[in-house]
Amino acid sequence: YYKKNIKFDDIVIFTTSKGRDIICEKLFDQGILAKMEKDLSLTENYFNFSEDNIIVYKNEFNEEINDIRTENESLIAVDTIFNIMKKYTQNNNSKIIATIAGGRKTMGSMMSTSFQMLAREQDELIHIMASDKNMFDDKWYYPRNPKSKTEKLDISLLPVLKIGQFLPITIEKDSYQETLEKMENYISDF
């Protein structure tokens, strides 16, 4: 998987306001993204990524959520992931490559569940891991030499049941919870 050399049209990050602030500080204010492009001999703005690509969870009062700790905050987060992913799956020419890496375990679980409900044949769910040494090094952000064994990322394609594509239900305007209930009802009636 590592050698596919994929260029992404869109990169979307789902996070809290706290996560967004850390991402912006590191990638933009400290110039980590620009430095990575330079170190890897990529053109400037190769990744087409800005603060606009960071989706911050918001509560029912349109206030940004600082952390995902409650059941309600978890439901807001999964609805956000689900609705954005639903938009991408409406374009049959697109391919979603989603990762469960990063964030709280609930965030990875929400991404995985939304993916199972919406993914099409061409979509992929992956997990990305750096070595333990690099993972806990607060000055390491990316492999400067991807061929180096000490900097290599482990990228795993995760087998997943993409069940939503096989169920004859309409979910155009439904929330995550409504879609989940429709799917459960259809399967239980089967």
Side-chain angles (χ1 to χ4, degrees):
Y1 195 88
Y2 195 81
K3 297 180 183 182
K4 283 189 176 182
N5 215 4
I6 298 168
K7 174 139 177 28
F8 297 98
D9 294 324
D10 287 323
I11 298 172
V12 178
I13 294 179
F14 298 97
T15 190
T16 60
S17 59
K18 181 180 174 183
R20 186 252 342 265
D21 293 346
I22 293 169
I23 292 165
C24 289
E25 165 71 20
K26 301 288 185 184
L27 293 186
F28 307 125
D29 299 344
Q30 292 181 19
I32 300 294
L33 185 60
K35 185 168 177 14
M36 179 174 68
E37 290 170 336
K38 185 178 178 187
D39 287 349
L40 298 177
S41 301
L42 301 172
T43 58
E44 187 176 340
N45 296 318
Y46 175 86
F47 291 106
N48 189 27
F49 182 78
S50 70
E51 190 173 345
D52 294 337
N53 300 83
I54 302 171
I55 308 295
V56 177
Y57 307 118
K58 294 182 179 178
N59 66 19
E60 59 273 17
F61 306 109
N62 206 32
E63 300 166 332
E64 293 181 345
I65 296 174
N66 188 49
D67 195 4
I68 305 294
R69 300 194 69 82
T70 68
E71 182 178 344
N72 186 51
E73 290 165 341
S74 293
L75 290 173
I76 289 168
V78 75
D79 251 345
T80 302
I81 293 168
F82 183 79
N83 288 322
I84 299 290
M85 192 178 291
K86 190 173 9 172
K87 287 179 188 173
Y88 279 96
T89 60
Q90 291 171 354
N91 176 355
N92 288 329
N93 295 321
S94 71
K95 176 180 182 173
I96 296 172
I97 301 176
T99 179
I100 60 168
R104 294 195 178 279
K105 288 183 176 93
T106 49
M107 308 268 279
S109 176
M110 290 179 229
M111 176 62 76
S112 180
T113 305
S114 294
F115 188 88
Q116 287 179 310
M117 294 167 68
L118 295 168
R120 298 136 325 150
E121 185 65 31
Q122 69 266 32
D123 300 327
E124 296 176 345
L125 186 65
I126 63 173
H127 187 52
I128 304 168
M129 287 187 32
S131 70
D132 286 345
K133 176 184 173 278
N134 292 333
M135 182 105 67
F136 299 108
D137 179 350
D138 62 355
K139 291 181 177 48
W140 189 89
Y141 297 99
Y142 57 90
R144 286 169 182 78
N145 178 3
K147 294 178 182 174
S148 167
K149 288 184 180 186
T150 61
E151 294 199 44
K152 183 177 182 248
L153 296 173
D154 292 317
I155 302 175
S156 303
L157 181 61
L158 303 176
V160 63
L161 178 61
K162 302 171 187 175
I163 193 163
Q165 65 181 328
F166 300 112
L167 302 180
I169 59 174
T170 305
I171 62 167
E172 290 171 11
K173 297 181 180 171
D174 293 343
S175 68
Y176 170 85
Q177 193 65 37
E178 291 166 333
T179 303
L180 184 62
E181 288 171 14
K182 279 185 177 181
M183 288 182 171
E184 287 174 343
N185 288 337
Y186 180 80
I187 292 169
S188 68
D189 290 344
F190 190 66

